[in-house]
Amino acid sequence: MLAGKRVVLGVCGSIASYKAADAASKLTQAGALVDVILTASAQRFVSPLAFRALTRRPVYTGMYDPAATTAEEHVELARAADALLIAPASATTIARLAFGLADDMLALTALATTAPLLLAPAMDAQMWEHPATRSNVATLRGRGAIVVGPDEGRLASGRTGAGRLVDTATLLGALRQALGSAGDLAGRRIVVSAGGTQEPLDPVRYIGNRSSGKMGFAIAEAARDRGAAVTLVSGRVALPTPSGVERVDVATTAEMAAAIRAATAACDALIMAAAPADFRPPAAASQKIKRAGEGLTLSLVPTEDIIAGLRGSFVKVGFAAETQDLRENARGKIARKGLDLIVANDVGADGAGFGTETNLVTLIDASGACEELPLQSKYDVGMRVLDRVVALLGVRRA
Ligand SMILES: Cc1cc2nc3c(=O)[nH]c(=O)nc-3n(C[C@H](O)[C@H](O)[C@H](O)COP(=O)(O)O)c2cc1C
């Protein structure tokens, strides 16, 4: 998604300026061509050398550069940019942009570009809350700028409040969302489920499974990167919410079913990458079950079959995590649950299944036709699943 993209990274003068070096590094690692502009104030906090080394490209420190090769170079960056990301964005630069000034290289580039503008503010909470900043931010939002953060937390001043620069993953997520906003899922609503459910036994114990949620989260990111509005219904997992994705947290299968029913009331496709429990205790004990001399026999009842109970004309994609007879079991599931596509994964295979960064899957459609995909990252698996969703949506629209 970022490979080959021209990203201009504007850095303002802030205690958080050093964090922009991490963003420059991660963007470069993702294949983007990163042109860094440091404001005069930023150069008091960080050096051009660090950014030149990280991006392996020239760094812009002023618009009157005597080394400029063309007279038009001062606006060349603005023309070439696929996106302009300002992180950290200071109160001063935000004000400069709101007024449409072009009195330094960063403001000039912002004024001269038609590329998406992303601002990640960082400043003291009182500066952020000030009516002047509020009004400037509202003006920029009104012109289409995407404002990422700021986060709340401990600030450099020692106070706590809103004003922290968002983390690098959030910056990159927002950038990918902006770059993909006109993708082939633009205007579509996609619901993705992820993670395992927890069925309580007593106030401290539950029956769960080993699903990490990584596959569903990767699909949610991939759908966002193709322009979809994404709702992610997630079991309890240890993963950060992908930037720009609406997340609904649930614990039990019944909660997941209710959240998915609500989210799919208006959606184009549902991708069920979650691993909801098939069985649950009939009721949770109200007190912790004590150890006694003898063992404990549990009786379990089936949980609600989430996908089979859903009505609606949206595209339905299920997952089948199997340890044996992968294709036969997956084909049976398609027919039983009225699915359009099933993603069958052998959770016993190397590099596939729960907790891994990669997955090895076979896509099986309603006709029973199989497409075996090679071992690849869960994000790339998500992209291939979405290729099929796009095709299925196209057929429905026609
Ligand atoms: C130690 C220090 C930290 C600063 N941190 C911030 C900050 O986080 N956010 C901000 O808006 N201004 C901060 N400032 C003030 C800016 O550097 C100053 O407003 C400057 O004019 C910003 O210019 P620029 O937007 O061109 O980089 C800080 C100043 C100092 C001395």
Side-chain angles (χ1 to χ4, degrees):
M1 154 116 274
L2 287 168
K5 289 284 189 310
R6 294 284 302 263
V7 177
V8 177
L9 174 63
V11 183
C12 302
S14 155
I15 291 290
S17 303
Y18 76 94
K19 294 183 182 171
D22 186 44
S25 170
K26 297 272 165 42
L27 283 167
T28 305
Q29 286 171 43
L33 303 172
V34 186
D35 293 303
V36 176
I37 303 174
L38 297 180
T39 65
S41 306
Q43 292 164 58
R44 312 285 289 257
F45 292 85
V46 288
S47 92
L49 179 64
F51 288 91
R52 204 170 68 212
L54 287 167
T55 62
R56 298 185 287 278
R57 295 174 68 81
V59 169
Y60 296 80
T61 53
M63 60 183 166
Y64 304 111
D65 182 358
T69 47
T70 67
E72 287 297 293
E73 194 162 302
H74 68 294
V75 286
E76 213 37 63
L77 257 192
R79 289 211 187 104
D82 290 305
L84 169 57
L85 167 65
I86 306 186
S90 71
T92 300
T93 287
I94 288 171
R96 227 179 240 141
L97 268 49
F99 274 91
L101 300 187
D103 61 346
D104 74 1
M105 183 66 185
L106 180 53
L108 172 84
T109 305
L111 200 62
T113 193
T114 54
L117 167 66
L118 293 95
L119 298 166
M123 64 194 73
D124 194 56
Q126 261 143 351
M127 294 167 73
W128 175 246
E129 303 294 349
H130 194 283
T133 307
R134 290 248 155 257
S135 155
N136 290 333
V137 168
T139 299
L140 291 169
R141 273 206 177 104
R143 289 187 205 137
I146 299 158
V147 180
V148 193
D151 277 345
E152 292 202 9
R154 192 187 168 282
L155 304 171
S157 60
R159 284 191 283 270
T160 304
R164 281 177 68 84
L165 181 66
V166 297
D167 60 28
T168 305
T170 304
L171 282 179
L172 265 63
L175 189 61
R176 282 160 43 176
Q177 181 178 22
L179 289 168
S181 60
D184 54 8
L185 286 173
R188 298 292 196 176
R189 297 199 71 82
I190 308 276
V191 179
V192 183
S193 73
T197 56
Q198 300 179 351
E199 306 300 332
L201 267 174
D202 67 17
V204 297
R205 303 186 183 93
Y206 59 82
I207 296 178
N209 60 62
R210 294 155 68 101
S211 172
S212 65
K214 285 183 180 172
M215 188 66 242
F217 275 59
I219 295 172
E221 283 188 32
R224 173 205 63 195
D225 292 352
R226 292 168 79 146
V230 182
T231 302
L232 177 60
V233 178
S234 174
R236 292 205 175 127
V237 298
L239 296 172
T241 307
S243 165
V245 165
E246 186 198 357
R247 174 170 173 175
V248 182
D249 282 319
V250 296
T252 64
T253 301
E255 286 171 20
M256 184 171 275
I260 289 175
R261 266 196 304 277
T264 54
C267 84
D268 296 291
L270 166 67
I271 304 174
M272 277 286 290
D278 292 320
F279 304 100
R280 64 176 173 82
S286 60
Q287 301 298 329
K288 184 180 171 197
I289 301 168
K290 291 276 183 261
R291 178 200 281 268
E294 67 277 18
L296 176 68
T297 304
L298 291 176
S299 113
L300 302 174
V301 295
T303 54
E304 180 177 341
D305 187 339
I306 299 177
I307 207 159
L310 288 172
R311 301 278 163 271
S313 59
F314 49 87
V315 169
K316 296 189 191 77
V317 180
F319 269 67
E322 303 288 350
T323 53
Q324 58 186 10
D325 302 331
L326 185 70
R327 289 187 182 198
E328 293 65 34
N329 286 334
R331 283 199 182 104
K333 212 168 170 180
I334 288 197
R336 262 193 337 272
K337 302 193 178 210
L339 300 174
D340 297 286
L341 183 75
I342 202 152
V343 185
N345 65 336
D346 181 348
V347 289
D350 277 351
F354 298 138
T356 56
E357 300 303 324
T358 52
N359 212 351
L360 185 62
V361 305
T362 301
L363 305 182
I364 306 174
D365 68 18
S367 75
C370 294
E371 182 191 357
E372 262 181 55
L373 298 181
L375 184 72
Q376 55 196 318
S377 71
K378 287 186 169 172
Y379 180 84
D380 288 339
V381 170
M383 282 291 183
R384 299 296 72 78
V385 172
L386 291 168
D387 289 345
R388 302 289 285 265
V389 169
V390 167
L392 285 161
L393 287 169
V395 169
R396 287 199 182 180
R397 184 176 268 175

